[in-house]
Amino acid sequence: MRLARVILIRHGESEANTKENIYIAGRDFHTKLTLKGREQALDLGTFWRDAQGVNSRTFSSIYSSPAARAIETANLVCEQIGVEKNRVRLEEALLEIDHGEWEKGVRDELYTEEVKKIQKENPYDFKAPGGESQHDVEARVVDFLLNSAIPEALADPHSRPVRPMINGRLMFSSKTRTTSTT
């Protein structure tokens, strides 16, 4: 049986991450990486190149969320591993969780004690009004992986792994499935 390896990474630190206690950024397409975020992306690319032997011949595809912070992360990683930026393909299925009506809202005003209690009771299925739950995000990303990214990798005669650059908190592998709460 042929195997496909998929590696999901989260974007580096973004401008919104430095203000996360102030407002809910969510799917803000324009938020860019901070200097620290750019350094994180470059460090990851350097690690993959030097410690893991990753280069333009060791994978089939790179996908990125269309959010600026994810594209910037993917491009910086590609720069370090010697891959042309035009190989990064944008995929909406990799977008961060949709916070619906709460997008760009003031976090402390929206996450009341009552809301925090409800979220704590069932964090996997909790969703803001008009938004997505972590369960919804996982279903969206897994659908993309199973129906697009992995079949593409398996069709490659060299069976090189697919490397989606994900913008979000979902981590998925063939053995485990976890959702980060940080």
Side-chain angles (χ1 to χ4, degrees):
M1 170 164 61
R2 295 176 73 186
L3 299 176
R5 182 173 62 166
V6 176
I7 298 173
L8 304 174
I9 68 167
R10 188 174 194 275
H11 59 77
E13 180 187 76
S14 72
E15 294 165 349
N17 296 137
T18 63
K19 301 173 185 170
E20 69 181 38
N21 291 329
I22 298 172
Y23 75 100
I24 300 170
R27 289 188 165 193
D28 179 353
F29 282 80
H30 306 292
T31 300
K32 297 187 185 238
L33 296 177
T34 62
L35 177 60
K36 179 179 178 181
R38 288 188 290 280
E39 290 171 354
Q40 290 169 334
L42 290 169
D43 288 348
L44 179 62
T46 300
F47 169 77
W48 278 358
R49 181 192 66 221
D50 296 347
Q52 303 295 313
V54 172
N55 59 54
S56 64
R57 296 178 311 278
T58 58
F59 58 90
S60 300
S61 302
I62 295 177
Y63 298 94
S64 172
S65 154
R69 58 195 174 272
I71 295 168
E72 193 174 2
T73 299
N75 287 340
L76 290 168
V77 169
C78 285
E79 180 182 304
Q80 294 303 301
I81 62 175
V83 172
E84 304 82 26
K85 293 176 184 178
N86 64 357
R87 286 193 57 193
V88 176
R89 298 189 337 215
L90 303 184
E91 176 55 52
E92 289 199 14
L94 300 177
L95 279 168
E96 201 153 333
I97 192 167
D98 182 352
H99 290 285
E101 296 171 20
W102 290 4
E103 294 265 326
K104 298 185 182 174
V106 178
R107 184 174 300 279
D108 290 341
E109 292 174 8
L110 296 168
Y111 280 91
T112 63
E113 291 306 314
E114 181 181 342
V115 168
K116 289 178 188 177
K117 180 181 176 192
I118 294 168
Q119 184 181 32
K120 187 176 182 178
E121 289 172 1
N122 196 355
Y124 193 62
D125 290 318
F126 175 82
K127 61 174 99 176
E132 296 180 291
S133 67
Q134 286 293 329
H135 181 263
D136 296 335
V137 174
E138 180 175 320
R140 172 169 41 87
V141 173
V142 169
D143 180 68
F144 163 71
L145 293 173
L146 294 177
N147 293 308
S148 296
I150 292 173
E152 178 183 317
L154 293 175
D156 185 324
H158 303 292
S159 203
R160 298 172 298 185
V162 173
R163 297 185 187 272
M165 305 291 197
I166 190 167
N167 176 13
R169 294 183 171 97
L170 179 73
M171 299 302 292
F172 174 87
S173 75
S174 60
K175 295 182 181 179
T176 63
R177 187 173 63 202
T178 61
T179 303
S180 171
T181 58
T182 59

